[in-house]
Amino acid sequence: MKEIFVDIRRCVGCKSCELACRVEHSRSKNLFAALYENPLPRRRVFVEYGDGKKVPLQCRHCCEAPCVDACMSGAMKWDSETNLVVHDREICVGCWMCVMVCPFGVIGREQDSRVAIKCDRCYERDEPACVEACPTGALLF
């Protein structure tokens, strides 16, 4: 299974990965059109700053995922075919237990629809949008 690795020495905190993630998860798949969508597309990768370093964070798709164990509705599941933790927004009840137990703090909340959102590693693409958009090569797939 391929993973997304982060070389923090190369990350300059430009947030290109965040922007690419929002566009990829927009209805239009176009930067300028996405700016006018309602609701605005949400990012699933977060560039955090700490101790003088910038670090892009996204779901690590843990083999023993706490979010899957904590999900009372079964919306978070381990997909053995793709080896990804997938989220079914249709059955998500918005309890956000997954948000509370995620050790990386990368599961977000959609306030309007009361569902959790997380990185899906752009499973329909050959390479995740965040990796493809990184101008310094800090993200590797």
Side-chain angles (χ1 to χ4, degrees), residues 32-91:
F32 299 107
L35 293 171
Y36 297 100
E37 289 181 11
N38 188 13
L40 288 171
R42 297 281 313 267
R43 64 190 165 140
R44 287 142 171 88
V45 59
F46 307 88
V47 177
E48 298 291 333
Y49 300 87
D51 199 28
K53 295 180 175 45
K54 296 112 184 143
V55 181
L57 299 171
Q58 66 277 342
C59 180
R60 305 308 306 159
H61 298 278
C62 309
C63 291
E64 296 177 18
C67 60
V68 172
D69 294 335
C71 184
M72 66 182 201
S73 68
M76 290 283 185
K77 298 179 211 104
W78 176 258
D79 184 342
S80 58
E81 190 175 305
T82 62
N83 290 325
L84 298 175
V85 174
V86 295
H87 177 251
D88 184 346
R89 58 183 295 123
E90 298 301 317
I91 61 174

Side-chain angles (χ1 to χ4, degrees), residues 69-138:
D69 294 335
C71 184
M72 66 182 201
S73 68
M76 290 283 185
K77 298 179 211 104
W78 176 258
D79 184 342
S80 58
E81 190 175 305
T82 62
N83 290 325
L84 298 175
V85 174
V86 295
H87 177 251
D88 184 346
R89 58 183 295 123
E90 298 301 317
I91 61 174
C92 181
V93 296
C95 69
W96 297 330
M97 289 298 294
C98 55
V99 174
M100 291 185 257
V101 301
C102 178
F104 301 101
V106 294
I107 300 176
R109 297 175 276 199
E110 276 188 8
Q111 299 290 349
D112 298 340
S113 58
R114 289 201 51 83
V115 295
I117 58 169
K118 63 175 280 310
C119 170
D120 58 5
R121 200 174 285 159
C122 300
Y123 63 89
E124 67 284 349
R125 296 172 50 117
D126 292 334
E127 184 175 61
C130 59
V131 175
E132 187 177 294
C134 184
T136 61

